[in-house]
Amino acid sequence: MRGIGEIFKKEIARVVKDRKMLFSVFLLPALLMVGIMSLTSNLVSNMEEDIDSHVAVIYVSNMPESFQTLLDAGESAYDIRSMKEEEQIKEELKKGEADLWIEFPENLESQVENYREGDRIPQVKVYYNPSEDYSSAAYQEISGQVLEGYRQMLLQNRVGNLEQLTVFTVNSDNPEMVVQDDKKANGKALGMMLPYFITILLFAGAMGIGTDMIAGEKERGTMASLLVSPVKRSSIVLGKVFALMVISGISSLIYVVVMVASMPLMSKAMAGTESGMKMEITLEQGVMLAGILIALAFLYSTLIILFSVFAKSTKEASTYVMPAYLLVLVIGLMSMFTSKAPSSETYFIPLYNSAIVLKGILSDEVTWMQFASTLLSNLALGAVLTGVIVKAFERENVMAP
Amino acid sequence: MIEIKHLTKVYKLNKKQMQELHTKNNKKTAVDDLSLTARPGEIYGLLGPNGAGKTTTLRCIATIIKPTKGEIYVAGHEVQKESEQVRRKIGFLTSDIKLDPQFSTDYMFDFFGRLHEVPEQKLKERKEELFTYFGIKEFAHKQIKELSTGMKQKAAIAVSLVHNPDIVIFDEPTNGLDIITARSVMDYLRKLKAEGKLVIVSTHIMSEAEKLCDRIGMIIDGKKAAEGTVEELLALTHTDDLEDAFFEIYKEVKGEE
Ligand SMILES: Nc1ncnc2c1ncn2[C@@H]1O[C@H](COP(=O)(O)OP(=O)(O)O)[C@@H](O)[C@H]1O
Ligand SMILES: [Mg+2]
């Protein structure tokens, strides 16, 4: 037992004393993350601004005078071009040179004015290119707002008072229309991303150090010095597993804090989820989160160490650990994009259940039962792997080739 | 006491090793039915050319690897059944066991001292004695990766002796050392012997074996070809130095094949 503590302390000291290691394990990933996120958010908001400031190029055929007046009175500026051949306009739309083509029927105004019941209702056709950002934005604005306004205007001309035609409105004066559990909504946005980031960061943080702790020590010939000391193989293994757990746990904690702190940076990038950025975690949620993270840190550490034991060098170890890392990535993605309620057996599948439960904890949708089965199954698998590692440590062709 | 009874060690070779050795046989017998006894208060030397099986024998004694056949008793403990007790009794030094280059000698000394459960006070005394003897003090707080080969070897020797073991197993301890350092290592081994400890060393250097060892086991192709004090070996082969004696025995063994 004494050996576990000594080896644990040495492993921690090894990381703490090494500036390069400290930087590459704790700081660099956090910096990279913030960098990438603020970069994407800048790019996204630049793009939005660009679309906003773009003057839409619009062709209008058979332009009614009243529509022209309406456009002139409006705030937005449009580049209204004189008509060309139909084929040519479509070509320009395809190329993204033109954004919209509004085709009014001939004499729309008189058609509307002289309308009798039973006549064909005139149709305005709007052509656009949904794969061009400018074009779709123009379409949204013209068909949704400008043409709708125009229709109301013409309708008013015909019937005088519009109110007679309005049977009811929907939410025209209801500031309380959004009824949701804020906690749950907050969690939805967070719950979508955080588990994913936490699991992959936890693993990534443990990977470099874990492979160095085992395969690196074998490579450097320092493992053998532990093997001739009077500590049990199991103590060596546990000391290293716990140290790796703590280091990767702390690094993932740093990443999470950095992520939450840099949320304002990214809020633009995830427009509309402003409310999702508030982190309100109850004590119960906190306890559950901590429990799952500890179990995960344990399981990941044993996984990484297990693969490293069979490698002769850190390079070889990284190659062996890679598939496990990919598995963790895929599982994270799966949990991110499944909205179906998981069946109760799901909560007994280690790794996968932790991703589901993390998501559930953050959106306050998890039962203690689900939490407990997740916690136990991950810890149990970790314990089994630890046993396998100890067995491997006793094999001389693995440890002292 | 170390008692080796009919030790055989067969390595399983992997594909790469088979290619390197130009062999289709995936087994390599490194030690072949070797028996010997070394007692407290003596320096026993394993003498043989490279590849003879010296390191393999010592690694079996130190419980790093397991004998394929035979038994080894170290201070009464069998290496496979009671490996932990064996590790408590021995100080083991070999070139492929290294100290972590990121740490200082001082840190490593304390670390292994604690693993051996040496009491703090005792640990201080041991450090004072060994660091003074090997002149480690001036670089004790430098990272081991910054040390020269000789300094590293001295550090490794000191650390391997932190728990004041009764049985000292050194594999080619003077390898790569300058003559002054090599001399001081040999002197220290004599001092250990004088304290009544059992020292077992391996070497391929005849003059070193001749000067240092009370008894010598000559190892050729994993077998013990001859054993005795220097005088006994010289008398046996009618020669007057150990190198000649070794060649006589070598010829005899190889001639039989
Ligand atoms: N881990 C190993 N796997 C396979 N063969 C080995 C291994 N270690 C040593 N050998 C072989 O065993 C023989 C004895 O090696 P060793 O004990 O190191 O000799 P010595 O120390 O006397 O030079 C050599 O032929 C060597 O190639
Ligand atoms: Mg050797």
Side-chain angles (χ1 to χ4, degrees), chain A residues 263-285:
Chain A
M263 285 285 178
L265 273 180
M266 314 181 281
S267 59
K268 269 192 200 158
M270 300 182 300
T273 51
E274 192 87 33
S275 67
M277 296 302 119
K278 277 184 285 176
M279 264 270 256
E280 269 175 43
I281 288 181
T282 62
L283 182 68
E284 196 184 8
Q285 280 176 307

PDB file of all heavy atoms in Angstrom, chain A residues 263-285:
ATOM      1  N   MET A 263     -17.167  31.168 -23.147  1.00  0.00           N
ATOM      2  CA  MET A 263     -18.470  31.104 -23.821  1.00  0.00           C
ATOM      3  C   MET A 263     -18.850  32.422 -24.501  1.00  0.00           C
ATOM      4  O   MET A 263     -19.336  32.406 -25.628  1.00  0.00           O
ATOM      5  CB  MET A 263     -19.573  30.725 -22.824  1.00  0.00           C
ATOM      6  CG  MET A 263     -19.561  29.276 -22.439  1.00  0.00           C
ATOM      7  SD  MET A 263     -20.201  28.238 -23.737  1.00  0.00           S
ATOM      8  CE  MET A 263     -19.998  26.635 -22.988  1.00  0.00           C
ATOM      9  N   PRO A 264     -18.670  33.561 -23.838  1.00  0.00           N
ATOM     10  CA  PRO A 264     -19.039  34.823 -24.486  1.00  0.00           C
ATOM     11  C   PRO A 264     -18.365  34.974 -25.842  1.00  0.00           C
ATOM     12  O   PRO A 264     -18.949  35.482 -26.782  1.00  0.00           O
ATOM     13  CB  PRO A 264     -18.534  35.888 -23.509  1.00  0.00           C
ATOM     14  CG  PRO A 264     -18.486  35.203 -22.203  1.00  0.00           C
ATOM     15  CD  PRO A 264     -18.169  33.777 -22.481  1.00  0.00           C
ATOM     16  N   LEU A 265     -17.148  34.497 -25.929  1.00  0.00           N
ATOM     17  CA  LEU A 265     -16.420  34.552 -27.193  1.00  0.00           C
ATOM     18  C   LEU A 265     -17.160  33.810 -28.286  1.00  0.00           C
ATOM     19  O   LEU A 265     -17.143  34.192 -29.440  1.00  0.00           O
ATOM     20  CB  LEU A 265     -15.042  33.893 -27.018  1.00  0.00           C
ATOM     21  CG  LEU A 265     -13.901  34.751 -26.529  1.00  0.00           C
ATOM     22  CD1 LEU A 265     -12.659  33.896 -26.429  1.00  0.00           C
ATOM     23  CD2 LEU A 265     -13.666  35.889 -27.500  1.00  0.00           C
ATOM     24  N   MET A 266     -17.775  32.698 -27.867  1.00  0.00           N
ATOM     25  CA  MET A 266     -18.353  31.832 -28.877  1.00  0.00           C
ATOM     26  C   MET A 266     -19.829  32.112 -29.071  1.00  0.00           C
ATOM     27  O   MET A 266     -20.442  31.585 -29.967  1.00  0.00           O
ATOM     28  CB  MET A 266     -18.218  30.384 -28.457  1.00  0.00           C
ATOM     29  CG  MET A 266     -16.868  30.012 -27.939  1.00  0.00           C
ATOM     30  SD  MET A 266     -16.873  28.282 -27.534  1.00  0.00           S
ATOM     31  CE  MET A 266     -17.684  28.301 -25.970  1.00  0.00           C
ATOM     32  N   SER A 267     -20.418  32.925 -28.185  1.00  0.00           N
ATOM     33  CA  SER A 267     -21.873  33.027 -28.199  1.00  0.00           C
ATOM     34  C   SER A 267     -22.376  33.481 -29.566  1.00  0.00           C
ATOM     35  O   SER A 267     -23.433  33.105 -30.004  1.00  0.00           O
ATOM     36  CB  SER A 267     -22.356  33.967 -27.114  1.00  0.00           C
ATOM     37  OG  SER A 267     -21.796  35.224 -27.321  1.00  0.00           O
ATOM     38  N   LYS A 268     -21.579  34.285 -30.252  1.00  0.00           N
ATOM     39  CA  LYS A 268     -21.976  34.710 -31.580  1.00  0.00           C
ATOM     40  C   LYS A 268     -22.059  33.525 -32.515  1.00  0.00           C
ATOM     41  O   LYS A 268     -22.965  33.422 -33.318  1.00  0.00           O
ATOM     42  CB  LYS A 268     -20.958  35.711 -32.126  1.00  0.00           C
ATOM     43  CG  LYS A 268     -21.302  37.149 -31.802  1.00  0.00           C
ATOM     44  CD  LYS A 268     -20.399  38.048 -32.624  1.00  0.00           C
ATOM     45  CE  LYS A 268     -20.319  39.435 -32.040  1.00  0.00           C
ATOM     46  NZ  LYS A 268     -19.099  40.104 -32.508  1.00  0.00           N
ATOM     47  N   ALA A 269     -21.095  32.653 -32.360  1.00  0.00           N
ATOM     48  CA  ALA A 269     -21.040  31.515 -33.252  1.00  0.00           C
ATOM     49  C   ALA A 269     -22.266  30.627 -33.083  1.00  0.00           C
ATOM     50  O   ALA A 269     -22.691  29.952 -34.003  1.00  0.00           O
ATOM     51  CB  ALA A 269     -19.776  30.709 -32.999  1.00  0.00           C
ATOM     52  N   MET A 270     -22.812  30.625 -31.881  1.00  0.00           N
ATOM     53  CA  MET A 270     -23.982  29.799 -31.661  1.00  0.00           C
ATOM     54  C   MET A 270     -25.168  30.707 -31.420  1.00  0.00           C
ATOM     55  O   MET A 270     -25.836  30.624 -30.414  1.00  0.00           O
ATOM     56  CB  MET A 270     -23.741  28.887 -30.480  1.00  0.00           C
ATOM     57  CG  MET A 270     -22.567  27.980 -30.716  1.00  0.00           C
ATOM     58  SD  MET A 270     -22.289  26.870 -29.376  1.00  0.00           S
ATOM     59  CE  MET A 270     -21.993  27.996 -28.049  1.00  0.00           C
ATOM     60  N   ALA A 271     -25.400  31.585 -32.367  1.00  0.00           N
ATOM     61  CA  ALA A 271     -26.414  32.626 -32.210  1.00  0.00           C
ATOM     62  C   ALA A 271     -27.730  32.025 -31.760  1.00  0.00           C
ATOM     63  O   ALA A 271     -28.117  30.941 -32.170  1.00  0.00           O
ATOM     64  CB  ALA A 271     -26.593  33.346 -33.525  1.00  0.00           C
ATOM     65  N   GLY A 272     -28.388  32.733 -30.898  1.00  0.00           N
ATOM     66  CA  GLY A 272     -29.709  32.294 -30.488  1.00  0.00           C
ATOM     67  C   GLY A 272     -29.718  31.419 -29.254  1.00  0.00           C
ATOM     68  O   GLY A 272     -30.747  31.177 -28.662  1.00  0.00           O
ATOM     69  N   THR A 273     -28.551  30.930 -28.836  1.00  0.00           N
ATOM     70  CA  THR A 273     -28.549  30.085 -27.650  1.00  0.00           C
ATOM     71  C   THR A 273     -27.992  30.858 -26.463  1.00  0.00           C
ATOM     72  O   THR A 273     -27.467  30.285 -25.533  1.00  0.00           O
ATOM     73  CB  THR A 273     -27.711  28.807 -27.869  1.00  0.00           C
ATOM     74  OG1 THR A 273     -26.450  29.200 -28.377  1.00  0.00           O
ATOM     75  CG2 THR A 273     -28.387  27.874 -28.832  1.00  0.00           C
ATOM     76  N   GLU A 274     -28.133  32.135 -26.511  1.00  0.00           N
ATOM     77  CA  GLU A 274     -27.637  33.002 -25.449  1.00  0.00           C
ATOM     78  C   GLU A 274     -27.976  32.457 -24.064  1.00  0.00           C
ATOM     79  O   GLU A 274     -27.136  32.362 -23.190  1.00  0.00           O
ATOM     80  CB  GLU A 274     -28.244  34.393 -25.603  1.00  0.00           C
ATOM     81  CG  GLU A 274     -27.596  35.470 -24.751  1.00  0.00           C
ATOM     82  CD  GLU A 274     -26.403  36.094 -25.447  1.00  0.00           C
ATOM     83  OE1 GLU A 274     -26.423  36.199 -26.694  1.00  0.00           O
ATOM     84  OE2 GLU A 274     -25.452  36.445 -24.760  1.00  0.00           O
ATOM     85  N   SER A 275     -29.251  32.057 -23.903  1.00  0.00           N
ATOM     86  CA  SER A 275     -29.694  31.598 -22.583  1.00  0.00           C
ATOM     87  C   SER A 275     -28.978  30.301 -22.204  1.00  0.00           C
ATOM     88  O   SER A 275     -28.793  30.015 -21.037  1.00  0.00           O
ATOM     89  CB  SER A 275     -31.194  31.377 -22.567  1.00  0.00           C
ATOM     90  OG  SER A 275     -31.507  30.288 -23.421  1.00  0.00           O
ATOM     91  N   GLY A 276     -28.582  29.534 -23.207  1.00  0.00           N
ATOM     92  CA  GLY A 276     -27.928  28.261 -22.934  1.00  0.00           C
ATOM     93  C   GLY A 276     -26.545  28.435 -22.345  1.00  0.00           C
ATOM     94  O   GLY A 276     -25.925  27.495 -21.890  1.00  0.00           O
ATOM     95  N   MET A 277     -26.038  29.662 -22.329  1.00  0.00           N
ATOM     96  CA  MET A 277     -24.687  29.879 -21.872  1.00  0.00           C
ATOM     97  C   MET A 277     -24.603  30.067 -20.361  1.00  0.00           C
ATOM     98  O   MET A 277     -23.545  30.064 -19.796  1.00  0.00           O
ATOM     99  CB  MET A 277     -24.103  31.133 -22.558  1.00  0.00           C
ATOM    100  CG  MET A 277     -23.977  30.978 -24.043  1.00  0.00           C
ATOM    101  SD  MET A 277     -22.949  29.577 -24.441  1.00  0.00           S
ATOM    102  CE  MET A 277     -24.090  28.571 -25.336  1.00  0.00           C
ATOM    103  N   LYS A 278     -25.758  30.260 -19.745  1.00  0.00           N
ATOM    104  CA  LYS A 278     -25.733  30.416 -18.293  1.00  0.00           C
ATOM    105  C   LYS A 278     -25.531  29.040 -17.677  1.00  0.00           C
ATOM    106  O   LYS A 278     -26.203  28.089 -18.015  1.00  0.00           O
ATOM    107  CB  LYS A 278     -27.050  31.023 -17.799  1.00  0.00           C
ATOM    108  CG  LYS A 278     -27.071  32.533 -17.910  1.00  0.00           C
ATOM    109  CD  LYS A 278     -28.352  33.070 -17.320  1.00  0.00           C
ATOM    110  CE  LYS A 278     -29.498  32.802 -18.269  1.00  0.00           C
ATOM    111  NZ  LYS A 278     -30.804  33.180 -17.781  1.00  0.00           N
ATOM    112  N   MET A 279     -24.569  28.943 -16.784  1.00  0.00           N
ATOM    113  CA  MET A 279     -24.330  27.654 -16.135  1.00  0.00           C
ATOM    114  C   MET A 279     -24.930  27.709 -14.745  1.00  0.00           C
ATOM    115  O   MET A 279     -24.461  28.451 -13.894  1.00  0.00           O
ATOM    116  CB  MET A 279     -22.825  27.426 -16.007  1.00  0.00           C
ATOM    117  CG  MET A 279     -22.253  26.610 -17.115  1.00  0.00           C
ATOM    118  SD  MET A 279     -22.280  24.870 -16.761  1.00  0.00           S
ATOM    119  CE  MET A 279     -20.580  24.591 -16.359  1.00  0.00           C
ATOM    120  N   GLU A 280     -25.999  26.970 -14.556  1.00  0.00           N
ATOM    121  CA  GLU A 280     -26.548  26.891 -13.214  1.00  0.00           C
ATOM    122  C   GLU A 280     -26.595  25.435 -12.846  1.00  0.00           C
ATOM    123  O   GLU A 280     -27.384  24.667 -13.379  1.00  0.00           O
ATOM    124  CB  GLU A 280     -27.954  27.481 -13.184  1.00  0.00           C
ATOM    125  CG  GLU A 280     -27.967  28.955 -12.858  1.00  0.00           C
ATOM    126  CD  GLU A 280     -29.363  29.505 -12.965  1.00  0.00           C
ATOM    127  OE1 GLU A 280     -30.304  28.846 -12.498  1.00  0.00           O
ATOM    128  OE2 GLU A 280     -29.504  30.594 -13.532  1.00  0.00           O
ATOM    129  N   ILE A 281     -25.695  25.040 -11.965  1.00  0.00           N
ATOM    130  CA  ILE A 281     -25.637  23.629 -11.619  1.00  0.00           C
ATOM    131  C   ILE A 281     -25.999  23.464 -10.148  1.00  0.00           C
ATOM    132  O   ILE A 281     -25.428  24.121  -9.281  1.00  0.00           O
ATOM    133  CB  ILE A 281     -24.239  23.057 -11.928  1.00  0.00           C
ATOM    134  CG1 ILE A 281     -24.091  22.951 -13.437  1.00  0.00           C
ATOM    135  CG2 ILE A 281     -24.063  21.714 -11.287  1.00  0.00           C
ATOM    136  CD1 ILE A 281     -22.782  22.396 -13.891  1.00  0.00           C
ATOM    137  N   THR A 282     -26.978  22.614  -9.901  1.00  0.00           N
ATOM    138  CA  THR A 282     -27.369  22.378  -8.508  1.00  0.00           C
ATOM    139  C   THR A 282     -26.359  21.449  -7.855  1.00  0.00           C
ATOM    140  O   THR A 282     -25.540  20.827  -8.533  1.00  0.00           O
ATOM    141  CB  THR A 282     -28.743  21.717  -8.435  1.00  0.00           C
ATOM    142  OG1 THR A 282     -28.647  20.449  -9.079  1.00  0.00           O
ATOM    143  CG2 THR A 282     -29.796  22.567  -9.109  1.00  0.00           C
ATOM    144  N   LEU A 283     -26.456  21.341  -6.540  1.00  0.00           N
ATOM    145  CA  LEU A 283     -25.544  20.475  -5.798  1.00  0.00           C
ATOM    146  C   LEU A 283     -25.671  19.036  -6.293  1.00  0.00           C
ATOM    147  O   LEU A 283     -24.674  18.352  -6.518  1.00  0.00           O
ATOM    148  CB  LEU A 283     -25.861  20.553  -4.296  1.00  0.00           C
ATOM    149  CG  LEU A 283     -24.940  19.717  -3.427  1.00  0.00           C
ATOM    150  CD1 LEU A 283     -23.536  20.285  -3.449  1.00  0.00           C
ATOM    151  CD2 LEU A 283     -25.467  19.649  -1.998  1.00  0.00           C
ATOM    152  N   GLU A 284     -26.915  18.632  -6.501  1.00  0.00           N
ATOM    153  CA  GLU A 284     -27.170  17.271  -6.945  1.00  0.00           C
ATOM    154  C   GLU A 284     -26.490  17.014  -8.286  1.00  0.00           C
ATOM    155  O   GLU A 284     -25.810  16.016  -8.482  1.00  0.00           O
ATOM    156  CB  GLU A 284     -28.679  17.079  -7.058  1.00  0.00           C
ATOM    157  CG  GLU A 284     -29.095  15.636  -7.132  1.00  0.00           C
ATOM    158  CD  GLU A 284     -30.601  15.525  -7.346  1.00  0.00           C
ATOM    159  OE1 GLU A 284     -31.259  16.571  -7.580  1.00  0.00           O
ATOM    160  OE2 GLU A 284     -31.105  14.407  -7.282  1.00  0.00           O
ATOM    161  N   GLN A 285     -26.658  17.953  -9.206  1.00  0.00           N
ATOM    162  CA  GLN A 285     -26.022  17.818 -10.514  1.00  0.00           C
ATOM    163  C   GLN A 285     -24.508  17.774 -10.380  1.00  0.00           C
ATOM    164  O   GLN A 285     -23.841  16.976 -11.028  1.00  0.00           O
ATOM    165  CB  GLN A 285     -26.404  18.994 -11.409  1.00  0.00           C
ATOM    166  CG  GLN A 285     -27.770  18.879 -12.046  1.00  0.00           C
ATOM    167  CD  GLN A 285     -28.105  20.126 -12.839  1.00  0.00           C
ATOM    168  OE1 GLN A 285     -28.021  21.234 -12.300  1.00  0.00           O
ATOM    169  NE2 GLN A 285     -28.472  19.970 -14.088  1.00  0.00           N
TER     170      GLN A 285
END
